[in-house]
Amino acid sequence: MTEHAVVIAGGGPTGLMLAGELALAGVDVAIVERRSSQDLPGSRAGGLHSRTIEVLDQRGIADRFLSEGQVVQVASFGSTRFDISDFPTRHPYALGLWQKHIERILAGWVGELPVTMYRGRELTGFAQDDTGVGVALSDGQSLRAQYLVGCDG
């Protein structure tokens, strides 16, 4: 049985970002992702908001996204459009970028950090006890962690 401090179920944007943050904090973290690669057919989301870009900037990786996306100064809420160029931030804009690209860029960053990836496997069960949680994977492997975090959409 392989042990980690934290196991994250799901290697999409939320799981990748959480894994990166935990790894930077020195936490032994692993991601379980059912897809065998980071490739994402189609897209589920189409951009990043200014506050998200600020967080990426704090981590020194905003330029990776900015170099591939399209800056958008106008946002909308329902059918109401408004100019966001006066937001009090270094990034007073949204960024048009499909989720498949967001995930690819985040996965590249996480790949530079000490994060274990269990690709092509599904989490098939878990059991919590007083000391943590046991995690069963679709290939028969078992993991043990102090925490299991669901980030699987």
Side-chain angles (χ1 to χ4, degrees):
M1 181 178 310
T2 305
E3 295 193 21
H4 299 282
V6 178
V7 170
I8 298 171
T14 303
L16 289 166
M17 193 68 198
L18 176 59
E21 291 294 320
L22 291 171
L24 289 173
V27 175
D28 175 21
V29 60
I31 297 174
V32 176
E33 171 54 49
R34 71 175 169 223
R35 292 177 291 161
S36 58
S37 74
Q38 203 61 47
D39 295 338
L40 180 66
S43 206
R44 296 178 176 97
L48 300 171
H49 294 279
S50 63
R51 299 299 184 221
T52 302
I53 299 167
E54 286 178 349
V55 171
L56 298 171
D57 197 17
Q58 289 173 335
R59 289 295 169 233
I61 60 173
D63 288 342
R64 299 179 192 199
F65 298 87
L66 294 171
S67 68
E68 293 194 33
Q70 181 175 348
V71 171
V72 180
Q73 294 290 178
V74 177
S76 63
F77 182 78
S79 60
T80 304
R81 295 172 56 84
F82 54 95
D83 183 348
I84 59 175
S85 63
D86 63 347
F87 275 13
T89 174
R90 286 186 45 203
H91 304 284
Y93 46 81
L95 188 69
L97 187 63
W98 292 114
Q99 182 174 335
K100 65 183 180 180
H101 302 297
I102 294 168
E103 284 193 24
R104 176 181 44 76
I105 296 166
L106 280 173
W109 172 60
V110 169
E112 298 166 8
L113 301 171
V115 175
T116 303
M117 293 289 291
Y118 296 96
R119 287 201 172 279
R121 300 171 215 185
E122 292 188 49
L123 191 149
T124 57
F126 64 91
Q128 182 177 345
D129 59 36
D130 291 339
T131 61
V133 60
V135 178
L137 303 183
S138 58
D139 65 353
Q141 186 173 3
S142 295
L143 305 176
R144 181 85 185 150
Q146 294 170 336
Y147 299 95
L148 171 62
V149 182
C151 295
D152 58 348

